[in-house]
Amino acid sequence: MRVVVLAGGTGGTKLAHGFAQLPDVELAVVANVGDDAEFHGLLVCPDIDALLYTLSGLIDAERGWGVAGDTHTAHDMFARFGEETWFTVGDADLATHAYRTRLLREGASLTDATAAMAAALGISARILPASDERWRTRIRTDAGELAFQDWFVRLRTEPAAIGVSHDGPGIAAPAALEAVANADLVVIGPSNPIVSIGPILALAGMATAVAARPVIAVSPIIAGEALKGPAARMMESLGHGSGAVAVARYYHALDAGLVDRFVLDEADAALAPDIADLGMAPAVLPTIMRTDADRATLARTLVGSDP
Ligand code: FO1
């Protein structure tokens, strides 16, 4: 079975790891590139990095980014040179960004560079950047418009987001579009709908390609809160409402036929009728993934359910 997971950030990455553990699944993960940014002259792709490190077992699981046990000698040296160091790049992580940047400078696409890195790290799933072009998320706030990492890491998501846009040509990577078109199942991971999934679906042709396949979306919001990150607060400050139903409404507003089945956590079982009212089949499951086994169990259940 060919499964494509749309992912960005922690939740979608964990679920992708669940599918990667299933022997009968041929997995491709379409990764958000809206968080990408340059630091120390190198291209950092946080959502691709999180997938590379999670699927290879290198991830710092506590933080959800970076390499476990990484050291910071280069970071300290950058500080001595007077570089901005609010974005922490560990020594091993620095090699990832340097290698990627070299491959791109030599003419590789981001898709090809990512494939080479995944292969080198022993990952058999395909990690497909949603776009090979620059497609950067910009956050509008009362204090002006900010690049995503500036808002997310430097300002710790203060001030509140009042608008989100994407900067770039909006062209989907051919390999990502093709994987979606050939998928038996597309899973929209429990990632931030606005800044992780939204930028993927905003690429030309992507939402239409996804909508044409059987699609299951997993809510990143449980009992009104995101397990990690600003999704719940962003949904509210951007006027999309609160709770898991707001996530379903957000996808419904993008394309009424996008999502066939919407997965609520057990804590939100009472919301199932509201999901059905939107024309999506509700499914109520334990969605909190504490262990690797939890990830595989959720993935197996989704493969087994008929969207
Ligand atoms: N997140 C932080 O909160 N602080 C950091 O210093 C930081 C560094 C970093 C370096 C490489 C990388 O791939 C990711 C990094 N992240 C950091 C995580 C990341 O920026 C965000 O979690 C994502 O963009 C949100 O999905």
Side-chain angles (χ1 to χ4, degrees):
M1 185 176 193
R2 283 163 302 191
V3 175
V4 169
V5 177
L6 309 189
T10 315
T13 300
K14 285 183 177 178
L15 183 53
H17 184 219
F19 284 104
Q21 295 175 57
L22 305 184
D24 45 351
V25 163
E26 199 183 296
L27 175 64
V29 191
V30 173
N32 174 42
V33 293
D35 296 13
D36 294 7
E38 279 84 18
F39 292 97
H40 314 303
L42 304 173
L43 177 64
V44 180
C45 302
D47 290 342
I48 293 174
D49 295 341
L51 285 160
L52 286 170
Y53 297 154
T54 299
L55 298 184
S56 63
L58 291 171
I59 192 85
D60 181 330
E62 205 161 304
R63 292 188 308 192
W65 53 269
V67 173
D70 211 349
T71 50
H72 296 91
T73 308
H75 178 86
D76 295 343
M77 196 68 177
F78 283 129
R80 288 185 65 178
F81 285 129
E83 288 262 279
E84 286 195 37
T85 48
W86 52 263
F87 194 81
T88 306
V89 177
D91 295 328
D93 195 30
L94 184 68
T96 297
H97 314 315
Y99 184 56
R100 167 188 296 128
T101 302
R102 175 168 80 78
L103 293 177
L104 295 176
R105 204 173 47 222
E106 289 175 356
S109 65
L110 186 59
T111 296
D112 291 344
T114 305
M117 297 166 82
L121 295 178
I123 297 167
S124 50
R126 291 197 298 157
I127 301 174
L128 302 172
S131 181
D132 283 326
E133 319 291 329
R134 185 187 175 91
W135 186 236
R136 304 277 170 92
T137 299
R138 310 270 311 165
I139 305 290
R140 195 153 50 82
T141 75
D142 284 336
E145 198 182 85
L146 299 159
F148 180 78
Q149 295 299 340
D150 214 17
W151 176 74
F152 190 88
V153 174
R154 187 173 70 83
L155 298 177
R156 302 267 155 222
T157 73
E158 300 286 346
I162 54 174
V164 171
S165 60
H166 311 293
D167 182 20
I171 301 167
L177 262 186
E178 197 187 316
V180 169
N182 292 322
D184 298 311
L185 172 66
V186 177
V187 176
I188 299 180
S191 299
N192 187 315
I194 298 167
V195 291
S196 296
I197 305 299
I200 300 175
L201 294 173
L203 292 160
M206 188 58 90
T208 309
V210 171
R213 311 309 307 155
V215 178
I216 302 179
V218 180
S219 176
I221 299 200
I222 301 175
E225 295 294 336
L227 290 181
K228 190 165 186 269
R233 205 154 50 85
M234 287 190 87
M235 292 294 286
E236 289 200 42
S237 70
L238 291 162
H240 297 296
S242 62
V245 177
V247 176
R249 270 202 209 98
Y250 176 84
Y251 291 136
H252 187 265
L254 288 182
D255 182 327
L258 183 73
V259 175
D260 301 296
R261 180 174 291 271
F262 191 87
V263 178
L264 294 164
D265 186 74
E266 288 170 328
D268 287 322
L271 303 177
D274 298 338
I275 300 297
D277 285 348
L278 290 168
M280 303 175 193
V284 177
L285 294 170
T287 64
I288 299 181
M289 295 171 276
R290 290 193 185 83
T291 64
D292 288 1
D294 290 346
R295 300 171 187 185
T297 301
L298 180 56
R300 201 177 298 112
T301 308
L302 298 182
V303 167
S305 74
D306 184 2

